[in-house]
Amino acid sequence: MRRFPVPSIAWIYQKIIVVGRIKRYPPSVQRLIRSFALVLITSLLGSIVCAENPDSFTSVEASAEAIGGDARRGLRLLLETPLIPSDFDQETFDAVWQSWPEPLRSRAEQSTPEIRRQMAFERYGLTPRPAGLRDLDDRPDERPMQYVVDDQGRWTMNCLACHGGMVDGQPSPGAPNNRFALQTFTEEIRATKWILGKPLARMDLGAMVIPLGSTHGTTNAVVFGMGLMHYRDAELNFQPKIPGKFTHHDMDAPPWWHFAKRPYIYIDGFAAKGHRGLMQFMLVPENGPTFFSDHEDDFRDVYAYLSSLTPPKFEGEIDTAVARQGKVLFEEHCARCHGTYGTDGTYPNQRVPIDDIGTDRVRFDALSVSGRQKYADSWFAKTETPERRSIAAPDGYVAPPLDGIWASAPYFHNGSVPTLWGVLNPEHRPAVWRSDRLEFDSRDIGLRHEVVDQVPVIVSDAAVRRTYFDTRLPGKSRTGHDYPDVLTDLEKRAVLEYLKTL
């Protein structure tokens, strides 16, 4: 007989949610019921995961060279060490095709295990590990770059899930993963666990309440961090409490090769850069304060790895004469915010007031002053550069460096613009568009895409539906950054040609 230990919790949770949505209750009562469900699930899962997975974490030997860190060790840590409880096992992943809609499920059923694996990688935005990473150990290279897979076949998401994508058709650590289908993947893993009679993990249950991402390639990552910090004090002690109220919004992951240049992190630049700040997304209940202090040297290595990354070089054709013209125009109109490039290049770290830049402000408004201040007062913000303090009330977004900009589509912090030509031409930005995120547009530089009037309502496959980007939805606006309108079309083409060289 199959055992269903954790799904019974999911059943309780779902029943509470159903009751909480009964319309005869006023909204305040509905919210109270849902809050009670979240507290219940958080408490139950914390004890269950610890009990069922006492050895979920692989111990990592602290670096003997703590100061400065070692880039290679940092990469190995991300790829080989699970730092949070595992999400699912190999058997579940191998069977996930059973949760796919028809006719995809039948096609998978008739395929070999190798083909099914390729289909799953394509569906969820997973990539093989690049050849240059395969010498980190003697394991076969069937594992995706985006997950740690241990010797027991347990899969644990790592940072490369969002920050390990494709560049010109090749897997590239540090590139934004503009194909990652986190919401769809989680839903279908959860459904597969029900089929197999396996226990659910926190991600499976949390995704029922907190959206993980409504469009492939973007995630609700900021809210993850806010939610995790909500349950901690300044020294990272866990404090059970009623869930906070957050504004959900999807974000496009920034390229890691910008890390070395930026003294602050995040789109509004409110957090001073430091190795501790990189650890925030491990704030699950199982990781207490000692976990973070014990792994601090490891994240000096991760910091060193991020600092070592450089942008990829554009390998297509570049009209050097036109690019030289574009450089002059860029330095006249764009460099004040985005900096200059070359051997004597400088990056100004310029924050632009939100009303000036005019891009979607949901991300800006979603983080309260008190929420930012809580981070600023926490262990994470105590950096080795104490003169650089986190900012509780920034006034806008920071213009990013543009190194390797050609390789980081889609554009804007919410991923609302598929090409650089659209960035330079506000009137050419599509309202609703769809891309398979595989084909590169070498003319307009970015994602080759189709423009549609609206997301088709008849699409029953959630994975297909989430390939559409509707800029009319909250948090997904394509407006703003209209500064290039002072240029002619020929001048914009020259600037575009120059951007290929960065």
Side-chain angles (χ1 to χ4, degrees), residues 65-178:
E65 301 170 352
I67 303 301
D70 182 289
R72 186 172 179 80
R73 282 199 299 263
L75 175 58
R76 182 162 188 159
L77 180 84
L78 295 178
L79 288 171
E80 304 299 336
T81 304
L83 297 167
I84 56 176
S86 64
D87 300 306
F88 51 89
D89 60 19
Q90 188 66 48
E91 182 185 12
T92 304
F93 181 77
D94 291 341
V96 72
W97 61 270
Q98 298 180 34
S99 298
W100 294 348
E102 292 290 2
L104 191 64
R105 182 168 66 247
S106 293
R107 183 157 66 90
E109 185 176 17
Q110 297 165 12
S111 300
T112 64
E114 292 75 17
I115 296 297
R116 285 199 291 263
R117 175 180 171 276
Q118 293 174 14
M119 293 169 67
F121 271 43
E122 180 178 346
R123 183 171 178 83
Y124 302 126
L126 307 179
T127 68
R129 300 188 175 199
L133 304 185
R134 295 174 188 167
D135 62 345
L136 287 175
D137 62 15
D138 297 325
R139 299 277 300 279
D141 51 81
E142 295 181 351
R143 296 167 297 159
M145 179 167 58
Q146 294 78 14
Y147 280 79
V148 176
V149 184
D150 67 15
D151 292 334
Q152 285 72 48
R154 293 176 297 203
W155 286 49
T156 306
M157 191 190 310
N158 62 31
C159 300
L160 294 160
C162 295
H163 296 278
M166 304 278 282
V167 173
D168 200 19
Q170 298 299 318
S172 178
N177 188 357
N178 59 27

Side-chain angles (χ1 to χ4, degrees), residues 390-409:
S390 296
I391 302 166
D395 61 352
Y397 295 145
V398 176
L402 300 183
D403 311 78
I405 188 67
W406 69 271
S408 60

Side-chain angles (χ1 to χ4, degrees), residues 255-287:
W256 269 351
W257 55 74
H258 289 168
F259 186 80
K261 277 191 172 183
R262 304 190 68 165
Y264 288 79
I265 56 176
Y266 303 128
I267 183 63
D268 53 7
F270 87 91
K273 186 172 71 174
H275 65 280
R276 288 185 173 185
L278 302 176
M279 306 174 76
Q280 183 182 356
F281 286 88
M282 297 186 297
L283 273 175
V284 294
E286 295 78 12
N287 293 344

Side-chain angles (χ1 to χ4, degrees), residues 420-495:
L420 275 178
W421 185 244
V423 172
L424 295 171
N425 292 269
E427 72 278 8
H428 290 176
R429 300 170 191 167
V432 186
W433 53 278
R434 180 193 180 196
S435 171
D436 63 10
R437 313 274 169 145
L438 291 174
E439 293 191 40
F440 181 71
D441 186 335
S442 59
R443 180 178 185 274
D444 292 342
I445 309 301
L447 301 176
R448 195 174 297 280
H449 60 281
E450 63 173 315
V451 179
V452 297
D453 293 331
Q454 62 181 8
V455 178
V457 295
I458 61 172
V459 176
S460 58
D461 186 342
V464 173
R465 187 169 62 253
R466 291 175 181 136
T467 61
Y468 290 89
F469 198 109
D470 190 343
T471 65
R472 300 167 299 187
L473 297 176
K476 292 181 173 291
S477 172
R478 70 194 191 279
T479 59
H481 194 275
D482 56 4
Y483 312 115
D485 279 347
V486 299
L487 304 175
T488 67
D489 281 354
L490 285 177
E491 289 173 331
K492 291 176 182 178
R493 280 292 170 190
V495 171

